[in-house]
Amino acid sequence: YDAASRQHISDPFFLAIVGSLAAALTDLGYEMLLSRVDAEKLDSAGAAFDAGRVVGVIIIGQWRHHDQLNGLAARQVPLVVWGAEMPQQLYCTVGGDNHGGGYQATRHLVMGGRRRILFLGNPDLPEVRWRYRGYLDALKEARIEPDPRWLLRVPFEEAAARRSLDQAYREGLSFDGVVACSDLLALQAVAAVRATGRRVPEDVSGTGYDDAPLAAWSDPPLTTAHQPVDEAGRLIVEALLAQLEGQPPQSRTMPVQLVVRKSTLGCWRAAPGAECPACNRYQAYHPVWYTPGGSDEVCGLWRSPVRCVCNGAHRHRHHTRCPAGRLALQCGRGPAAHGAAGRPGPAPVDRFPG
């Protein structure tokens, strides 16, 4: 337990990975002794090994104590740490691709038209640091200059994101996207945004991290970077047993995949120059709408700056749609939105007008 980060063992990610470890160890005939260790006194993690009560040690999280973990490894304690690989590391780590996860989440929002994206998390922590670097790389790729105020250094405490975002609103900080370093932080961000009367994802889109079970059942379901927890438990146990057999520590980094759900659904408005993955046309002002789970792509022109093909006098806020792969505009509001006289109709075009 790290007092500064305030991430408790009741955190959904901790519970998930502990369950994965228990299953992997039980399958191999081992028992698991679960102990809460103060991150400021990581040396005590080796006490059970020194006393002969355990054959190896698994630690969930590096926190800010790289040197202490190196000290445990130097004492020849069989050790595997869930976390990010670090320079001059003596101990074995197994973890997700944190840079890739931060990059994917941020790029997803950027390609959805978001330009003022907050980052919730403390880069002093190794895993968060790599997620932040991925976030910065995605912004750089999109030629977006990050505002220093977009970094909100919040711990993993549940209410931290809410307090930080409330403060940001009071200070007049404008944003349209949030990349959070855990699902709990992302859900608190959703609550903070809604408390101001803004909508998610229409006004502000948000992503989480871990893909805890609650992410799929939240309101709205949360787009999040999925960490392969089930595989992680098996790899951690394999790495520990390899050390017990005399093999040198070998760290592993697992791929992370972005799971797209409704906390970003409907925000896809491709940046100028981007190509629609559904119809490969309409390169400017062009969104791609995704169904839950991100499996089906539907091409949809959004906020047309010209008069609608149905000749309705509504500009900018007017939705038009085209079937994927076809070059035809069609009014997307429907007859009820126009009154009895409104009859939407298709009109062929060579490109998006304007």
Side-chain angles (χ1 to χ4, degrees):
Y1 171 74
D2 182 70
S5 66
R6 287 175 265 178
Q7 190 172 19
H8 293 269
I9 198 170
S10 58
D11 183 283
F13 174 73
F14 271 139
L15 295 176
I17 199 165
V18 166
S20 175
L21 286 169
L25 287 166
T26 301
D27 288 345
L28 295 173
Y30 289 90
E31 293 183 358
M32 183 175 73
L33 173 63
L34 183 63
S35 178
R36 182 178 181 268
V37 178
D38 188 336
E40 299 296 333
K41 302 175 181 177
L42 281 182
D43 287 343
S44 63
F49 174 77
D50 294 336
R53 291 191 293 142
V54 298
V55 296
V57 177
I58 296 170
I59 296 178
I60 309 301
Q62 291 160 297
W63 315 119
R64 301 170 180 84
H65 305 292
H66 178 61
D67 291 340
Q68 289 191 55
L69 293 170
N70 268 344
L72 281 174
R75 288 170 47 197
Q76 303 300 312
V77 175
L79 173 67
V80 181
V81 178
W82 169 267
E85 195 165 356
M86 302 277 287
Q88 300 178 336
Q89 177 176 300
L90 301 179
Y91 55 93
C92 173
T93 54
V94 174
D97 179 4
N98 292 285
H99 179 276
Y103 172 83
Q104 289 178 56
T106 308
R107 186 177 185 275
H108 175 68
L109 295 184
V110 168
M111 292 302 294
R114 306 309 183 181
R115 292 294 179 269
R116 302 179 306 279
I117 303 171
L118 303 185
F119 183 90
L120 300 184
N122 187 350
D124 291 340
L125 301 174
E127 289 184 278
V128 177
R129 184 182 310 139
W130 281 108
R131 294 172 196 178
Y132 184 58
R133 289 177 182 176
Y135 159 87
L136 292 177
D137 285 348
L139 293 182
K140 181 179 180 180
E141 182 180 82
R143 299 181 181 179
I144 297 174
E145 184 66 30
D147 187 327
R149 297 178 300 166
W150 293 352
L151 171 59
L152 302 184
R153 291 178 174 270
V154 298
F156 282 105
E157 181 188 6
E158 290 184 30
R162 178 64 182 270
R163 290 195 302 267
S164 188
L165 284 170
D166 287 346
Q167 179 67 25
Y169 273 122
R170 288 193 294 269
E171 295 174 355
L173 181 61
S174 175
F175 61 92
D176 57 12
V178 175
V179 172
C181 277
S182 79
D183 293 334
L184 288 181
L185 292 181
L187 294 178
Q188 288 295 316
V190 169
V193 168
R194 285 178 166 175
T196 67
R198 303 176 78 188
R199 301 167 299 168
V200 177
E202 292 86 350
D203 301 316
V204 178
S205 296
T207 66
Y209 210 99
D210 294 334
D211 195 20
L214 58 84
W217 300 103
S218 62
D219 179 26
L222 194 62
T223 293
T224 181
H226 173 78
Q227 300 221 68
V229 173
D230 291 339
E231 183 184 0
R234 178 181 59 81
L235 291 179
I236 289 172
V237 171
E238 287 179 359
L240 185 62
L241 296 181
Q243 291 181 56
L244 295 179
E245 294 172 357
Q247 300 177 30
Q250 302 232 343
S251 296
R252 295 283 300 273
T253 299
M254 297 179 294
V256 170
Q257 179 182 4
L258 189 71
V259 178
V260 179
R261 299 192 181 102
K262 288 188 177 180
S263 67
T264 58
L265 183 65
C267 77
W268 277 73
R269 182 176 52 196
E275 187 175 82
C276 168
C279 70
N280 298 319
R281 300 297 295 268
Y282 303 123
Q283 294 190 354
Y285 299 97
H286 192 70
V288 180
W289 297 71
Y290 286 81
T291 58
S295 57
D296 296 324
E297 298 169 341
V298 179
C299 168
L301 295 175
W302 191 29
R303 293 187 179 180
S304 170
V306 297
R307 183 179 294 272
C308 176
V309 293
C310 71
N311 294 319
H314 22 268
R315 297 154 60 98
H316 301 294
R317 293 184 179 275
H318 192 72
H319 290 250
T320 55
R321 298 184 61 193
C322 72
R326 295 179 56 190
L327 302 180
L329 288 172
Q330 184 174 0
C331 174
R333 288 171 65 102
H338 298 296
R343 296 185 60 81
V349 292
D350 293 327
R351 64 181 181 85
F352 178 62

